[in-house]
Amino acid sequence: MNTSALSQSRSQSRSRIRIGTATGTGTGTGLLLLTLLALPASAHDKRLLRSLALEPAGLTLHVLASVRVPSGPTKSAMLAMADANHDGQLGPSERKGLEDALIARALGGMILSVGTATRTLDGAESKLSIGDADSPIDLLIHGTVALPKSEASVRLTTKGSGESVDVEVLAGNRPVVQSSRGAPKKGTLKTVLGTTDAVVLRFSAYSATE
Amino acid sequence: MFRKIALSAVCLAGLTTCSSGAPPSIAKQIGARSELIGGPGALGEVGDYLLANDQIRLVIQGEGYSRGFGVYGGSLIDADLQRAGQSGNDLGGKGYDAFSEMFPAFFLKAMAPSKGGITTKTYPDGSASIIVTGTGAEFLFMLTRINDVVVPSTGLVFTNEYRLYPGKRYVEITTSVTNLGADAIKFPGDGVDALTKGVPFFLPVGDVLLFGAANKVFSPLAGFDLRFTLQDLYKTPPPLPGLPGLVTPFLATTNEHVSYGFASGVTDENTSFVKKAGYPNARPDDILVPFLFSGFTGAFYAAAPDVLESRAQFSFKKYFIVGTGDVGSIRDVVHELRGYKTGSLAAWVRSGLTQQPVEVSVVTYDASGNIYSQHHPIDGRFVGTYEPGKYSYRIVADGRFTTSPVPFEITEGKTTAITVDVDEPGSVNLRIRDVNGRPMPGKCSLVSHYVPAASGLDPMSFLYDLRVGEHRRPVDLITDKLDDEKTREYLEQVLYVGTQPKTELVRPGHYRAVCSRGVEYDLTEQDIDVTAGRLTELDVVLKQSVVTPGWISGDYHLHARHSVDSYMPYTDRITTVAAEGVDLAVATDHNYVTDYTPTIAAEELTPFIQGMVGLELTTLEIGHFNGFPLKYNPGPITKGAFAWSGRAPEALFSDLRALGSLGKDKTIVQVNHPRDAILGYLNGYNYNPDTGLPEDSTNLFLAPEGPEFGTNNFSTAFDAMEIFNGKRFDLIRSYRVPDVLPPPPLPMTIPPAGSILRDSNGKIAFPGGLDDWFVLLNQDHRITATANSDSHDTDDEAGYPRTYTPVTDDRPGSIPEIDVVAAMRSQKAMLTNGPLVFFSVGDKGMGEVADGKSGSVHVKIQVRAAGWVDVSRVTILVNGTPVREFDGDAASLANLEADIPITRDSFVLVEARGGKSMWPVVTPLEVPSVQIGDAVGGIAGAFGINLNPFGNLQPNRVGVVKPYAFTNPVYVDFDGDGAFKGPGVSAQGLRAAMEAPRSSATRQKLSEMPTLLKVFAAFNCH
């Protein structure tokens, strides 16, 4: 499912999207995001869980944001609010409303900068899974931002966002060589950003022959 | 004049002694108008309930919908002191009520009285009560979804008991919530976990107060500046369970004859919201003020219990206080209620020169430098109670500089006496005449400049102090230059005058007096020196440089004292409109029918201005609608206004027309500021300019629900739409992404500069009324565009902008209303804040159909402007799209002609604009009004709900005012059927369809995908 505003960005700036050829799957099994998605459905945690994964691929930085609403009262209330006509079902526009709210929740307060420039997500798309009563609500957003060929400094800032964010950086074909949160491990990094927080990452320069 | 009875002096020595032997209080249903209170804010009517003792009187509205600005009956709507010789008559009371409304708030939910739910009661101790019983109900229907989750109210019964004890100047109000259901109820509901992320949250309860614009609201610490104090507090919100807002021991107001106060009666830390929420240094009886907008002041102070068992009840208490016009008389009662040990300050305030009493405001500070209280001396004297300690006072008065602090000390049980000698004020006597020497109304703006050292500073930090009650001094909003004082100008004061010379107090200084009379007169400038203790004469001649025979200018949206958000007396209202050269002033108070005609006659302004009776029907969430010309019915309290809540627009329009003085078919219904946040009709129904249709809201949190909402209730059965409202240029065109982005916060996704900003549904994020109007014209809705000031006070100058219409007699006093109606119904209206634009297509004028069968039309344009109004560009638009632009100046753009190609039935209109600020005649929009979105957003933000997904990427409401004018259209018949037929689909809609996202043309092979893309691709929606 597309989200219009994000998709609009994609359509307006598609020419800027360049996806690298390397697969970069070396750390894929350790994805924090996958771990999140694999959480037992019966975990009735009341908190919303946010995560953000970054993966450089050539001149493109892939960004995957997610938000999870645990099953239980939190999910029930969220669905009740989305059910505008109170018929117990989520029609297309109601589902869209829920998705929009969760997109705002997933990305709320986050600023991604490459060098000194604040960047927006190109070609962003979102997917929403509501599942059955015992399942959580999951929302995923994927988009990209362009990286320079030279060594790239990426800053991820949270400012007044609702929840903390679990951040995982995959090495892709441009490992993290330095971060403001300690030394990267094999070009990867895991950290947590508070509601007003920041992390600075330095990715290696990109060589097309790699 | 601060003429008040000397009640305070009698009581202040010992409040409790006033009550001994006092006669019992009474509570009764009002059976005759003579029992009403009366006054500029009075809304009480026969059938309401009166609560009175020997000190004060209160009116609680009966059942049904609110007669004021709120939604439901059962609210406190009138309050005043008991006054000697104030007996009312068949027309009503003769008191000085200036209060608007107060009702209980269960978080964001109000209370609706049940049928037969209002009763009276008397007690053996002489007290009397009015008890209102009802159920929880929406106050703002847009909050229904949040309230449904946070405030479960099924099975709950609410009661509000107003109990008045003999001899007291306060009413004790106890709000009780009883669970009549079979099950226990949790506060807040389970669903709040979704919002609070597991952080414990205590449901705040309290009241919403509408003090009314005539009352200046005060709180200790913030003084008279609650608005900017709150704005600052919003920047550093406390963590949950706290909510952003001002914590204060009480609220008070000042006014000429009567003041009001509000204090919490919660003394238990376990039921105090501010204590449970952990506000630092808070007392249990402190109040949290989380919002203040459009006259609505929120006051939360009690916390609901976590669980209310079946058949159980919880209660919280508060006090509404009536004072003698100042804060001190309110504070005295607060001290009494809380049992503070106090001493007294007794002051004698007089002119240092004449030793006579003077009218001033005395503001006092505590030893920490925080504002503590404020007094209005009566006949030069006041007495007020203080907690023992060290204090200081300052004198704030018209025509004088606020004095430096002078220390004094209060000892428990003793009286500290002070004598204050006040300097003489400066004063200016203004007279304005025409070139023939005849007096006429006008205004002089007194301009000064601030020192270079203040360059770039916030004017509030050096130019005036709102906390002590000084008025704001507008600045030019030009970037300051150290070496150019013309870039550092501010407006000290604006003097308005009618046909009689007028003297006003002005602070001593050197000023450039810029005198004006609207858009048809040139300016006259004169330097003056104002000296303390002396009268400066200012005698000015103004010359009319633009004449408009056969046309009149009208301001079809004006407010005065019967609007909850305007303090202006009718005399000031009329003088200020006449001074701006407006020919026709249409009175449009909120839910109150007003007639300016008697005031115009009394002020001898009939040759200069004519009044028209009207009304702004003001709903909370589906828009504001003006009706005119209306009948003035002196009988009803609101002179003919009617209930609006729960009613759809079509019914409201019909009822407005039924009030018409010329008949239903000759009454204009005008939709005001259609895109002004919650106040805008097109916003209320999610009118989509891409489709030309209203749409259901997809907002998860803010989606109004009720019988009047929903797409089926949207109606285009109105005549006019106010496209150009005051200084709100942000409401005219749909917002486009600027070349230079504003500072963060910004959304993650930003379209290219120049493109229309859209939300996540692809809908225009901030639609403009002019673009909406183009769509409506394309849909064959012959709606007349209008321009009005929506002026509430002198900060928003009347007549900027205004609407010009043709009439058969253009002399004020003789303007035929039927001509105005005819012009408004046939789109013969030109909208301007400065330049005057007249045009024709072929031989046809606005609202008419020109022949365009040849594929081309000839357009003739005349542009006229007074010397101070810049004109630099004139644009011809066809179907809303610019097709020809002329650049130049007023002389070169005065007469223009062009042949314009036409390819279908079209509408043609002309726009003119100037690039220079209209300062100082028209001041910049420097302080935008607080909107409900700001208020609700503060609370929503505490729950992590972001109601503003665009951050700072939104229209800028602050800025200088530049000349702008546009016309209504001339239609062009291209296909030869003798009429204009719109395409029915907007150009914007077509463009949006073309811009719609396309599906990806190619898909990458899975094996080449980065891991994150694989994860995303593998994720299944279900």
Side-chain angles (χ1 to χ4, degrees):
Chain A
M1 176 182 288
N2 289 349
T3 60
S4 304
L6 298 174
S7 300
Q8 190 179 34
S9 164
R10 178 191 62 185
S11 66
Q12 287 164 348
S13 52
R14 188 177 297 138
S15 61
R16 290 193 279 126
I17 301 176
R18 290 178 194 147
I19 299 174
T21 53
T23 56
T25 56
T27 56
T29 53
L31 260 181
L32 182 142
L33 191 73
L34 295 176
T35 311
L36 168 68
L37 294 177
L39 280 172
S42 58
H44 281 192
D45 193 335
K46 291 179 177 177
R47 294 178 302 118
L48 273 71
L49 305 171
R50 287 209 301 176
S51 72
L52 192 80
L54 304 176
E55 181 183 10
L59 299 179
T60 302
L61 180 66
H62 287 263
V63 180
L64 189 61
S66 82
V67 64
R68 162 166 289 189
V69 182
S71 60
T74 307
K75 177 181 176 182
S76 302
M78 195 69 95
L79 293 178
M81 282 192 284
D83 182 14
N85 59 10
H86 303 304
D87 67 351
Q89 307 289 326
L90 284 194
S93 67
E94 293 166 337
R95 185 181 168 101
K96 186 80 175 66
L98 175 64
E99 186 167 354
D100 290 343
L102 289 174
I103 289 170
R105 200 71 178 255
L107 301 178
M110 276 200 274
I111 300 169
L112 185 71
S113 309
V114 178
T116 56
T118 300
R119 307 304 291 266
T120 59
L121 280 184
D122 292 330
E125 292 180 85
S126 64
K127 289 184 175 180
L128 174 69
S129 170
I130 296 175
D132 55 25
D134 292 329
S135 304
I137 302 173
D138 282 310
L139 176 95
L140 259 62
I141 303 164
H142 174 265
T144 63
V145 296
L147 289 178
K149 199 171 180 182
S150 57
E151 208 173 61
S153 171
V154 173
R155 180 186 179 87
L156 184 64
T157 308
T158 56
K159 196 169 184 183
S161 57
E163 296 87 10
S164 59
V165 188
D166 294 326
V167 176
E168 178 164 3
V169 187
L170 308 186
N173 58 5
R174 298 180 65 173
V176 181
V177 295
Q178 194 181 355
S179 93
S180 60
R181 294 290 176 96
K185 291 181 182 173
K186 295 182 180 177
T188 67
L189 185 80
K190 284 184 185 178
T191 188
V192 178
L193 289 184
T195 54
T196 300
D197 206 347
V199 61
V200 181
L201 310 163
R202 185 170 291 279
F203 290 99
S204 67
Y206 174 61
S207 164
T209 58
E210 284 181 52
Chain B
M1 289 289 289
F2 299 113
R3 289 183 296 102
K4 289 166 285 191
I5 61 170
L7 179 68
S8 60
V10 177
C11 293
L12 287 171
L15 278 159
T16 51
T17 59
C18 288
S19 63
S20 60
S25 304
I26 60 163
K28 59 176 288 194
Q29 190 163 22
I30 296 168
R33 285 219 164 159
S34 57
E35 296 169 349
L36 295 171
I37 292 175
L43 289 170
E45 182 56 291
V46 172
D48 292 340
Y49 293 81
L50 176 70
L51 190 58
N53 63 11
D54 60 325
Q55 298 288 310
I56 63 175
R57 298 192 295 168
L58 309 154
V59 171
I60 314 298
Q61 195 192 320
E63 298 164 20
Y65 289 109
S66 168
R67 213 171 290 129
F69 218 49
V71 180
Y72 306 105
S75 302
L76 173 58
I77 54 171
D78 292 343
D80 192 18
L81 298 167
Q82 288 282 7
R83 299 174 190 277
Q86 64 174 173
S87 299
N89 55 28
D90 291 345
L91 294 176
K94 294 180 179 175
Y96 290 104
D97 166 70
F99 187 69
S100 188
E101 192 167 350
M102 169 181 154
F103 54 84
F106 305 89
F107 188 50
L108 299 174
K109 209 158 195 157
M111 167 184 169
S114 307
K115 192 160 180 59
I118 304 182
T119 56
T120 61
K121 185 176 180 181
T122 55
Y123 290 88
D125 61 4
S127 63
S129 283
I130 294 170
I131 302 166
V132 181
T133 304
T135 54
E138 301 304 330
F139 152 47
L140 289 170
F141 287 86
M142 67 190 296
L143 301 174
T144 304
R145 291 186 188 178
I146 293 176
N147 273 334
D148 282 351
V149 172
V150 179
V151 194
S153 58
T154 306
L156 295 181
V157 170
F158 301 90
T159 61
N160 220 22
E161 179 175 9
Y162 303 86
R163 184 169 180 176
L164 184 62
Y165 292 90
K168 299 298 183 188
R169 277 200 286 119
Y170 62 84
V171 58
E172 177 188 279
I173 308 168
T174 303
T175 302
S176 303
V177 181
T178 308
N179 180 5
L180 292 183
D183 301 317
I185 295 177
K186 284 177 68 179
F187 293 115
D190 278 337
V192 84
D193 288 336
L195 304 174
T196 61
K197 305 142 211 164
V199 175
F201 180 67
F202 311 105
L203 186 72
V205 292
D207 292 82
V208 172
L209 297 110
L210 288 89
F211 286 115
N215 300 301
K216 290 170 77 171
V217 184
F218 172 97
S219 95
L221 307 179
F224 292 102
D225 181 21
L226 263 67
R227 184 248 165 96
F228 290 103
T229 302
L230 267 180
Q231 203 162 294
D232 285 344
L233 288 166
Y234 286 157
K235 293 174 186 166
T236 54
L240 282 173
L243 294 174
L246 170 70
V247 176
T248 178
F250 67 94
L251 290 169
T253 66
T254 63
N255 200 342
E256 191 174 353
H257 300 283
V258 61
S259 50
Y260 303 108
F262 182 80
S264 164
V266 175
T267 54
D268 181 352
E269 293 198 356
N270 294 317
T271 57
S272 162
F273 177 73
V274 292
K275 290 303 286 184
K276 290 188 80 170
Y279 290 88
N281 306 318
R283 289 171 45 100
D285 48 15
D286 278 349
I287 299 165
L288 172 73
V289 179
F291 60 80
L292 178 75
F293 72 93
S294 294
F296 289 82
T297 304
F300 290 153
Y301 43 90
D306 296 341
V307 177
L308 189 63
E309 301 293 343
S310 174
R311 302 288 159 182
Q313 182 185 79
F314 81 91
S315 302
F316 54 97
K317 194 183 290 185
K318 58 279 183 102
Y319 303 98
F320 181 82
I321 305 161
V322 183
T324 58
D326 61 5
V327 174
S329 58
I330 300 297
R331 207 179 230 293
D332 294 336
V333 177
V334 173
H335 290 164
E336 176 204 1
L337 286 167
R338 294 182 176 166
Y340 286 5
K341 292 176 179 174
T342 60
S344 294
L345 173 68
W348 165 228
V349 185
R350 62 191 185 184
S351 159
L353 182 70
T354 66
Q355 306 287 293
Q356 294 299 304
V358 290
E359 291 176 11
V360 300
S361 172
V362 181
V363 176
T364 60
Y365 296 76
D366 65 17
S368 303
N370 295 318
I371 292 184
Y372 184 85
S373 190
Q374 176 271 350
H375 305 272
H376 278 156
I378 301 169
D379 296 330
R381 291 183 170 84
F382 72 83
V383 180
T385 57
Y386 280 72
E387 297 158 89
K390 292 184 176 178
Y391 297 88
S392 60
Y393 70 83
R394 300 175 74 189
I395 305 297
V396 183
D398 290 342
R400 301 170 176 90
F401 291 93
T402 299
T403 63
S404 299
V406 178
F408 64 94
E409 189 164 356
I410 298 292
T411 306
E412 183 184 340
K414 296 193 174 174
T415 297
T416 300
I418 59 172
T419 300
V420 181
D421 286 340
V422 179
D423 288 341
E424 293 304 292
S427 54
V428 175
N429 185 50
L430 174 63
R431 176 202 305 263
I432 292 181
R433 292 174 293 159
D434 66 16
V435 290
N436 297 315
R438 289 177 299 216
M440 68 175 181
K443 74 173 183 184
C444 291
S445 307
L446 303 186
V447 180
S448 187
H449 58 270
Y450 47 84
V451 295
S455 295
L457 297 180
D458 183 343
M460 273 194 289
S461 67
F462 68 92
L463 204 51
Y464 46 89
D465 188 349
L466 298 177
R467 292 168 303 167
V468 300
E470 287 186 340
H471 68 82
R472 192 172 66 81
R473 294 184 170 82
V475 296
D476 55 15
L477 281 193
I478 296 173
T479 303
D480 293 338
K481 292 179 184 169
L482 294 175
D483 59 351
D484 185 1
E485 67 180 31
K486 283 263 183 192
T487 65
R488 291 181 269 110
E489 288 188 338
Y490 71 91
L491 210 48
E492 170 65 23
Q493 201 164 326
V494 181
L495 310 177
Y496 289 91
V497 67
T499 52
Q500 300 298 319
K502 189 174 180 188
T503 299
E504 290 207 43
L505 301 182
V506 176
R507 290 197 309 186
H510 179 81
Y511 302 105
R512 179 167 64 98
V514 180
C515 302
S516 61
R517 184 163 195 264
V519 300
E520 297 179 17
Y521 283 76
D522 283 338
L523 305 183
T524 296
E525 298 192 21
Q526 193 172 320
D527 280 5
I528 61 169
D529 287 299
V530 178
T531 309
R534 287 193 175 177
L535 180 66
T536 302
E537 292 289 345
L538 184 54
D539 198 341
V540 177
V541 174
L542 292 176
K543 181 187 169 195
Q544 186 169 13
S545 59
V546 179
V547 291
T548 56
W551 290 74
I552 56 130
S553 63
D555 194 335
Y556 297 85
H557 194 168
L558 290 165
H559 294 274
R561 68 184 175 112
H562 276 112
S563 292
V564 69
D565 49 359
S566 174
Y567 66 86
M568 288 193 97
Y570 287 165
T571 50
D572 290 359
R573 173 75 289 165
I574 282 305
T575 304
T576 54
V577 185
E580 300 291 3
V582 174
D583 301 308
L584 183 70
V586 182
T588 54
D589 284 321
H590 295 296
N591 298 334
Y592 196 100
V593 180
T594 299
D595 182 6
Y596 293 149
T597 306
T599 310
I600 292 171
E603 295 296 308
E604 300 178 359
L605 288 169
T606 303
F608 300 96
I609 191 163
Q610 180 170 324
M612 183 183 275
V613 177
L615 154 76
E616 183 173 25
L617 183 72
T618 305
T619 74
L620 274 180
E621 293 170 87
I622 64 168
H624 292 190
F625 313 105
N626 280 0
F628 55 85
L630 303 185
K631 291 173 280 198
Y632 181 79
N633 185 349
I637 290 299
T638 57
K639 313 305 177 195
F642 52 87
W644 51 264
S645 187
R647 306 184 64 213
E650 192 118 359
L652 300 179
F653 299 163
S654 176
D655 281 4
L656 268 177
R657 293 186 196 284
L659 293 178
S661 60
L662 300 176
K664 270 187 173 184
D665 297 339
K666 296 182 179 61
T667 305
I668 300 300
V669 174
Q670 171 184 283
V671 170
N672 296 335
H673 39 70
R675 286 298 185 181
D676 188 7
I678 190 179
L679 312 179
Y681 176 54
L682 297 187
N683 282 357
Y685 285 91
N686 287 302
Y687 180 79
N688 185 345
D690 286 333
T691 62
L693 295 170
E695 294 179 355
D696 286 325
S697 172
T698 56
N699 192 308
L700 180 62
F701 298 105
L702 302 180
E705 295 176 12
E708 68 270 50
F709 302 104
T711 55
N712 291 341
N713 284 318
F714 181 75
S715 169
T716 54
F718 53 89
D719 308 285
M721 193 156 83
E722 183 185 73
I723 307 295
F724 194 1
N725 172 274
K727 302 171 185 178
R728 299 296 305 277
F729 287 88
D730 58 307
L731 301 177
I732 296 178
R733 300 309 299 254
S734 298
Y735 178 66
R736 291 172 185 270
V737 177
D739 293 335
V740 179
L741 291 177
L746 295 171
M748 288 287 275
T749 304
I750 301 175
S755 49
I756 289 178
L757 186 67
R758 293 174 181 271
D759 66 14
S760 58
N761 295 308
K763 288 176 65 176
I764 295 173
F766 301 99
L770 187 59
D771 295 295
D772 292 321
W773 181 55
F774 291 155
V775 175
L776 289 164
L777 294 178
N778 267 335
Q779 293 178 309
D780 281 338
H781 296 299
R782 301 291 179 94
I783 292 162
T784 302
T786 61
N788 305 302
S789 70
D790 195 2
S791 172
H792 288 69
D793 54 45
T794 52
D795 280 349
D796 30 57
E797 300 86 355
Y800 298 96
R802 64 193 69 184
T803 304
Y804 275 82
T805 53
V807 291
T808 54
D809 189 337
D810 62 7
R811 296 170 299 166
S814 303
I815 299 167
E817 290 191 336
I818 193 72
D819 287 5
V820 175
V821 169
M824 280 286 182
R825 300 201 79 166
S826 58
Q827 296 185 292
K828 295 186 186 305
M830 188 270 290
L831 299 70
T832 184
N833 68 3
L836 306 184
V837 182
F838 303 97
F839 90 118
S840 60
V841 176
D843 59 351
K844 301 298 181 184
M846 289 184 290
E848 298 174 341
V849 181
D851 184 353
K853 292 193 288 292
S854 67
S856 174
V857 290
H858 189 66
V859 179
K860 276 188 176 178
I861 305 167
Q862 283 189 322
V863 180
R864 300 287 180 266
W868 62 281
V869 176
D870 180 47
V871 185
S872 57
R873 173 170 289 183
V874 175
T875 307
I876 301 173
L877 297 96
V878 176
N879 300 322
T881 303
V883 296
R884 183 70 63 86
E885 285 180 347
F886 305 89
D887 289 338
D889 56 22
S892 64
L893 297 172
N895 295 290
L896 303 168
E897 295 191 35
D899 289 314
I900 302 295
I902 296 294
T903 57
R904 64 168 170 87
D905 280 6
S906 298
F907 61 87
V908 180
L909 56 91
V910 177
E911 190 182 70
R913 61 177 73 230
K916 294 178 184 169
S917 168
M918 299 176 79
W919 168 270
V921 179
V922 186
T923 55
L925 180 52
E926 190 181 340
V927 181
S929 58
V930 180
Q931 300 193 334
I932 186 171
D934 305 321
V936 175
I939 294 176
F943 294 98
I945 301 171
N946 181 12
L947 299 181
N948 174 21
F950 302 102
N952 286 334
L953 192 64
Q954 57 178 290
N956 185 8
R957 286 192 282 157
V958 174
V960 301
V961 177
K962 295 177 181 176
Y964 182 58
F966 62 97
T967 67
N968 271 270
V970 175
Y971 295 97
V972 179
D973 170 31
F974 176 75
D975 58 18
D977 65 356
F980 166 80
K981 281 196 184 131
V985 178
S986 70
Q988 288 90 339
L990 291 172
R991 198 157 57 236
M994 291 171 66
E995 289 174 0
R998 308 287 196 274
S999 58
S1000 294
T1002 57
R1003 289 279 179 197
Q1004 269 199 304
K1005 291 180 183 173
L1006 191 63
S1007 60
E1008 297 173 349
M1009 286 182 179
T1011 304
L1012 294 184
L1013 208 49
K1014 284 182 190 173
V1015 171
F1016 188 71
F1019 183 82
N1020 288 321
C1021 300
H1022 54 277

